[in-house]
Amino acid sequence: MSEKITAEVSEAEIAVHWQEENYVNPPERFVAQANLTDKTVLDRFSLDNVPDCFKEYAALLHWYRPWDITLDTSNPPFWRWFVGGTINASYNCVDRHLAKYKNKTAIHFVPEPEREAIQHVTYQELYVRVNEVAALLRDGCGLKKGDRVTLHMPMVPELPITMLACARLGVIHSQVFSGFSGKATADRIVDSESRVLITMDAYYRGGQLLDHKEKADIAVSEAEKEGVKVEKVLVWQRYPGRYSSKTPLVKGRDFVMNEMLSGYPRRRVDPVEMPAEDPLFLMYTSGTTGRPKGCQHSTGGYLSYVAGTSKYIQDIHPEDVYWCMADIGWITGHSYIVYGPLALAASSVVYEGLPTYPDAGRPWRIAEELDVNIFHTSPTAIRALRRAGPDEPPKYHHHFKHMTTVGEPIEPAVWKWYYDVVGKGEAVIVDTWWQTENGGFLCSTVPALHPMKPGSAGPGVPGIHPIIYDEAGAEIPQRSGRAGNICIQNPWPGSFQTIWKDPDRFVQQYYARYCKDRSSRNWRDWPYMAGDGALQAADGYYRILGRIDDVINVAGHRLGTKEIESASLLVEEIAEAAVVPARDEIKGKVPDLYVSLKPGLAPSEDIRKRVEDSVIREIGAIARPRRVVIVPDMPKTRSGKIMRRVLGAISNNEDAGDISTLANPEIVDEIRKMKS
């Protein structure tokens, strides 16, 4: 069976053996209250109606001046959206809501220690605090429109407050994930040429109050070695009035934000009217090699896109309590904790700590206490919660109308636990696909219009029109179930404008591969290459197969690693799985499969054999792992993402490189010893 299927697939395509799952329809109660139930939206946002269809998203915002040109294509692929229009992101997320919602909670801050009270920041309080911080940044630091500021902050309300204060001034913010090292922060300071670093003294993670300020000192020192001098380090206090870091303040350079703000009480700063195409922020994404890429996101186009997708795909209403369990240090947090929900006057939850601390019931206690009805998290977190507390959700009285999954493809077995156990069969699920570069969702079901299908991201969201090419550049027929490299045929407002200070890399990495005519100014000749493998099923839904880089070419057959991982998760004892390519003298590359078990289970040869059998049964002998390694835990980042790069280095007896940013660096040596 397997050999017959793979023989029909050219070497330029990805071999796929995944079975399509059955549909799950949205509950009638959800459809009755949904923001988007009009099926004509799919016609209004057809390929022929690009770019004008996106005016609907822009109309959700307040504009000081309407735009003259919806899409400027004069310098492809550097698309410019809503040219001539002026807008301010801070005004749209704060000021305009005051007349109707000033006493409504904008941000629910949940500290990790359960003994600490939840803080509820109203829109009026958010307005006051954003203005005071903006005044401090402008008058106390001399920051102005176009300047860059690096933020290295944890999940605390001061982070969105600082971001919105920057946006108010037209200052470009660059938030670095709090788990990143001082050196990683320095790399981003140097690239953005920031002269101000904003950080925090300490924050909680896993029950420990971590010294965060020490990373700032390293960052400033390393940046100076690279020729960029940080003039001021502004330090927020986790406990106002008390400095919680063991790292001393540097006189003349370091300033406590909470103390400085006493000089700016009740100050008001008029929002700067920003041209729509001016940058709002930089979001750095690490490449496999070379320096991090600074994805430059616009003000008007980006804000329009995240507001539109928050309203119609996330189904956010002003009365909803919405919790995205991502970190604001990633694009998901920018788009779907801060800018999208706050543009719609939602109440957005910010949680400081680990979702499994002090136990796996914590998320459901938070959801119960705050009456969260929209929940948004990653497959990584879902698998971790399923592993640590598979029976926890039914113990709590939370009720979600809507749940999102984001960040990587979700395996059908994990999807079903999310739906049945976390959502209690009451919630719709949108399985979204997009990337840091994209600003917002690219593929997902519209929750009230499309049935759900486990393991499938769904069609392109309104206005997004994917196309799949093979390695040779030929278009793979639509709805054929054949897999290749997924691209987007058309520009959209949320996409990044360029790579900061590296336009050549922007063109080469994302557009050159499948460009039909480098001299053309017609956007139809410039498809965007996402770098992911995918197939489109007969019903028009897309299944994402993972990064093209992760496709393993086994004896001429290109196998997607996600399919092998999903097959292994069908074995009941398996909690997590990761596949990496290992060198083989005969076949070139073969898959090594690493799996971890659910709590309380011991490794055994029987489990190992059943995992191997499941892969062969679901895919075929061509996908048989070279070895199945049962590990006590996966090497993970602080955000819970499995570092497949590290596992690949172990499989190929290579140096794992810098593992200082791992949450559990000690696991690397443990796995090396097990493998040998």
Side-chain angles (χ1 to χ4, degrees):
M1 177 71 173
S2 160
E3 291 182 5
K4 178 178 182 296
I5 293 173
T6 53
E8 293 172 353
V9 177
S10 75
E11 290 189 13
E13 296 174 30
I14 302 170
V16 173
H17 315 81
W18 232 326
Q19 298 300 310
E20 294 295 317
E21 299 282 334
N22 294 324
Y23 289 127
V24 179
N25 289 308
E28 290 183 10
R29 186 169 66 175
F30 175 84
V31 176
Q33 61 81 62
N35 279 323
L36 183 54
T37 57
D38 179 6
K39 293 183 179 179
T40 66
V41 69
L42 304 177
D43 295 325
R44 296 200 311 275
F45 281 75
S46 69
L47 190 61
D48 289 340
N49 288 332
V50 172
D52 287 344
C53 57
F54 289 111
K55 293 176 182 178
E56 289 192 32
Y57 287 177
L60 297 172
L61 304 175
H62 172 272
W63 294 79
Y64 296 115
R65 183 184 185 279
W67 57 92
D68 303 313
I69 302 170
T70 303
L71 175 63
D72 176 3
T73 64
S74 61
N75 183 26
F78 300 93
W79 318 122
R80 300 168 76 231
W81 284 89
F82 308 122
V83 178
T86 58
I87 190 170
N88 186 276
S90 182
Y91 181 91
N92 273 278
C93 291
V94 186
D95 305 44
R96 69 176 181 142
H97 303 318
L98 298 182
K100 196 171 182 181
Y101 299 116
K102 68 180 178 181
N103 294 321
K104 178 183 182 296
T105 298
I107 297 170
H108 296 283
F109 171 58
V110 183
E112 189 186 70
E114 287 193 85
R115 67 179 184 275
E116 293 189 17
I118 294 175
Q119 298 175 27
H120 309 280
V121 181
T122 66
Y123 273 95
Q124 178 65 27
E125 184 180 354
L126 184 63
Y127 171 75
V128 171
R129 295 184 68 182
V130 165
N131 271 275
E132 289 176 349
V133 173
L136 185 159
L137 297 178
R138 183 189 65 186
D139 301 338
C141 300
L143 292 170
K144 61 187 185 305
K145 177 179 178 294
D147 288 343
R148 280 81 61 203
V149 170
T150 296
L151 317 180
H152 190 207
M153 295 183 62
M155 287 289 287
V156 289
E158 289 81 4
L159 175 51
I161 287 167
T162 304
M163 291 165 61
L164 291 165
C166 289
R168 196 169 196 84
L169 300 172
V171 171
I172 302 167
H173 60 75
S174 168
Q175 157 67 5
V176 180
F177 172 55
S178 59
F180 277 177
S181 66
K183 178 63 171 69
T185 305
D187 292 341
R188 289 149 176 80
I189 290 172
V190 169
D191 192 67
S192 63
E193 297 176 282
S194 299
R195 56 188 178 89
V196 174
L197 170 63
I198 305 178
T199 188
M200 197 162 213
D201 57 359
Y203 69 100
Y204 281 97
R205 192 79 178 174
Q208 301 295 315
L209 185 61
L210 303 179
D211 185 347
H212 192 57
K213 165 62 165 61
E214 64 179 358
K215 294 182 180 179
D217 288 14
I218 296 169
V220 172
S221 173
E222 292 293 325
E224 191 159 5
K225 292 177 186 176
E226 298 294 322
V228 174
K229 183 175 176 57
V230 174
E231 298 170 6
K232 283 187 171 69
V233 176
L234 308 183
V235 185
W236 284 101
Q237 291 175 322
R238 172 61 174 78
Y239 293 102
R242 188 176 95 204
Y243 187 61
S244 300
S245 170
K246 294 178 182 177
T247 306
L249 297 169
V250 176
K251 189 174 183 180
R253 186 198 73 184
D254 299 350
F255 301 89
V256 174
M257 284 284 281
N258 309 69
E259 295 173 358
M260 291 182 71
L261 282 168
S262 63
Y264 300 89
R266 299 175 300 283
R267 288 284 293 275
R268 298 293 179 263
V269 174
D270 290 336
V272 175
E273 297 188 15
M274 299 290 291
E277 66 272 20
D278 274 14
L280 176 61
F281 65 87
L282 302 178
M283 170 58 65
Y284 283 87
T285 178
S286 298
T288 52
T289 59
R291 62 185 175 85
K293 302 189 296 280
C295 297
Q296 175 184 313
H297 283 281
S298 71
T299 302
Y302 168 82
L303 194 63
S304 298
Y305 196 72
V306 297
T309 49
S310 292
K311 181 169 184 175
Y312 298 123
I313 306 301
Q314 299 276 62
D315 199 60
I316 294 176
H317 302 67
E319 59 268 27
D320 288 323
V321 179
Y322 164 82
W323 183 13
C324 175
M325 211 168 63
D327 193 288
I328 297 173
W330 308 118
I331 189 67
T332 297
H334 276 50
S335 298
Y336 298 118
I337 296 178
V338 181
Y339 287 112
L342 296 182
L344 300 178
S347 297
S348 187
V349 177
V350 172
Y351 172 54
E352 179 180 31
L354 286 172
T356 52
Y357 183 83
D359 56 67
R362 185 70 191 279
W364 324 127
R365 291 197 291 277
I366 293 169
E368 179 182 279
E369 181 168 354
L370 292 176
D371 198 21
V372 173
N373 63 340
I374 304 178
F375 185 67
H376 183 166
T377 192
S378 66
T380 296
I382 297 165
R383 288 192 296 266
L385 290 163
R386 175 174 173 254
R387 180 187 185 191
D391 303 318
E392 285 294 310
K395 298 177 183 177
Y396 302 95
H397 300 290
H398 67 273
H399 295 280
F400 299 142
K401 71 167 186 177
H402 184 295
M403 303 191 306
T404 307
T405 174
V406 65
E408 61 178 318
I410 183 169
E411 302 83 1
V414 179
W415 190 101
K416 291 170 185 175
W417 181 81
Y418 193 38
Y419 179 79
D420 292 330
V421 181
V422 175
K424 304 176 181 179
E426 302 172 336
V428 294
I429 292 177
V430 294
D431 176 1
T432 64
W433 170 71
W434 59 298
Q435 303 162 320
T436 300
E437 296 88 341
N438 309 145
F441 306 140
L442 295 182
C443 284
S444 168
T445 52
V446 176
L449 295 182
H450 300 123
M452 301 165 271
K453 189 164 69 169
S456 175
V461 300
I464 299 296
H465 300 277
I467 188 169
I468 299 176
Y469 293 106
D470 67 19
E471 285 286 291
E475 181 182 345
I476 289 178
Q478 295 182 12
R479 300 175 182 256
S480 65
R482 291 161 55 188
N485 304 337
I486 189 168
C487 300
I488 308 301
Q489 298 182 65
N490 59 283
W492 66 99
S495 186
F496 71 142
Q497 299 172 294
T498 186
I499 296 174
W500 181 258
K501 298 197 300 189
D502 202 345
D504 292 342
R505 186 180 181 188
F506 172 75
V507 176
Q508 194 60 35
Q509 184 167 344
Y510 298 97
Y511 289 96
R513 175 80 179 270
Y514 294 114
C515 181
K516 300 167 189 174
D517 179 1
R518 293 291 289 265
S519 65
S520 173
R521 293 186 179 182
N522 186 331
W523 55 256
R524 292 165 183 81
D525 292 326
W526 292 86
Y528 168 87
M529 178 178 162
D532 279 343
L535 65 86
Q536 187 185 31
D539 59 8
Y541 283 26
Y542 291 91
R543 187 189 291 275
I544 307 301
L545 304 175
R547 299 297 294 167
I548 295 169
D549 295 342
D550 294 334
V551 170
I552 303 176
N553 196 323
V554 181
H557 302 295
R558 300 176 72 228
L559 299 174
T561 57
K562 208 69 197 170
E563 197 172 8
I564 302 172
E565 293 171 5
S566 185
S568 68
L569 286 168
L570 295 175
V571 176
E572 186 179 356
E573 292 88 345
I574 303 303
E576 296 176 305
V579 172
V580 297
R583 286 189 296 273
D584 184 90
E585 290 183 6
I586 299 172
K587 296 181 179 180
K589 294 285 179 64
V590 291
D592 268 4
L593 173 56
Y594 294 84
V595 296
S596 62
L597 305 180
K598 293 176 181 175
L601 299 177
S604 70
E605 188 57 38
D606 174 65
I607 295 174
R608 198 187 325 271
K609 181 69 166 60
R610 282 189 286 120
V611 169
E612 183 178 293
D613 290 346
S614 181
V615 171
I616 295 170
R617 182 175 62 252
E618 294 295 315
I619 303 174
I622 189 72
R624 182 198 304 271
R626 179 180 71 163
R627 59 166 67 93
V628 176
V629 184
I630 301 177
V631 298
D633 196 8
M634 301 285 186
K636 292 174 183 171
T637 65
R638 292 274 299 284
S639 62
K641 183 177 180 180
I642 296 172
M643 287 294 283
R644 289 170 176 82
R645 170 186 66 79
V646 172
L647 293 173
I650 294 172
S651 280
N652 292 294
N653 298 312
E654 296 171 347
D655 181 5
D658 180 15
I659 58 172
S660 63
T661 58
L662 292 183
N664 53 349
E666 70 285 346
I667 201 70
V668 177
D669 282 340
E670 286 187 49
I671 296 174
R672 280 197 190 279
K673 291 171 185 174
M674 294 176 62
K675 189 187 77 74
S676 58

